Amino acid sequence: MGVFGLVMVVAPAIGPTLSGFVVEHYSWRVLFWIFLPVALIPLALGIFKFKNLTFQNREISLDKASLALSSLGFGGVLYGFSSAGTLGWTDPVVVVTIAIGVISLIFFGFRQLKLDEPLLEIRIYKYPMFALSSVISIALSMSMFSAMILMPIYVQTIKGISPIDSGLLMLPGALAMGFMSSVTGQLFDRFGAKVLAIPGLAIVVITTYMFSQLSLDSSYISIMMMYTLRMFGISMVMMPVMTNGLNTLPIKEYPHGTAINNTLQQVAGACGLCFPDYHHEYAYRVDSPRACSGRGLLLKAS
């Protein structure tokens, strides 16, 4: 799981550095030309090398109602959250879509409890440690992806830092996560998840508060150090907590636990990126004392 976390976390973390260099020196379209062969290689490997190692294949049926409810539920919530940045939280479109999403998810949950072959086995939340690990993973996903995406916007738009320099600002955080992913795997095997999770979460809380105090006078080095320390704390918690939660499940429930974790992490990461629109009525000028406080921190300079 530590090695898996290394691949899963470091790859998107290094992205801003590489893309910053490409965007500053070449057309943004070059990013996609670079990735095209990278995407074709695993496609070819999957076709010719991938083997099915499932011990027992069996026929199962896809519940169409569950599929429709999950699509409507998760889609409604995500659309509502993303629209809130443009329309505001009180706009009818936002309120209605989020309400439809939440209601659909409630019906989806009740339906899963009645099915012998549920689309998502939510009964595994009867295991308290898995439920706790799921909540922590959701919070960490929101924290990690919001910082990874919104930090370049802040340093480029508010502070006027170049794309390559904003990418380099985030590189030490990516390297810290890469280094700690393998280390935390070994520490988890020796000491367990609690020894890693408590100090890691403390680091995330402290650095998150420090980010809320950013101003126009915050130096490049201080921001880099805070971001690196924050990613270091996340790496101490993410994979150990997920592994600890999965370890409480029966072996036959591992696929359901992994599916639920992946689903909620993607939704939480997307929701963590929602922030007010650049041109909303409470956008602040860059030279305003409030320009880098609270929600004004992430707003585009007038």
Side-chain angles (χ1 to χ4, degrees), residues 120-142:
L120 278 180
E121 182 55 272
I122 62 176
R123 295 182 184 90
I124 59 178
Y125 276 111
K126 66 183 180 182
Y127 299 95
M129 196 54 60
F130 176 79
L132 177 60
S133 70
S134 184
V135 171
I136 295 175
S137 297
I138 290 172
L140 287 177
S141 295
M142 296 181 69

Side-chain angles (χ1 to χ4, degrees), residues 201-214:
L201 288 171
I203 292 173
V204 173
V205 170
I206 293 172
T207 52
T208 299
Y209 172 77
M210 294 171 65
F211 270 124
S212 72
Q213 304 303 307
L214 289 178

Side-chain angles (χ1 to χ4, degrees), residues 43 148 164 166 205 212 216:
L43 174 61
M148 287 170 55
I164 181 62
S166 67
V205 170
S212 72
L216 287 176

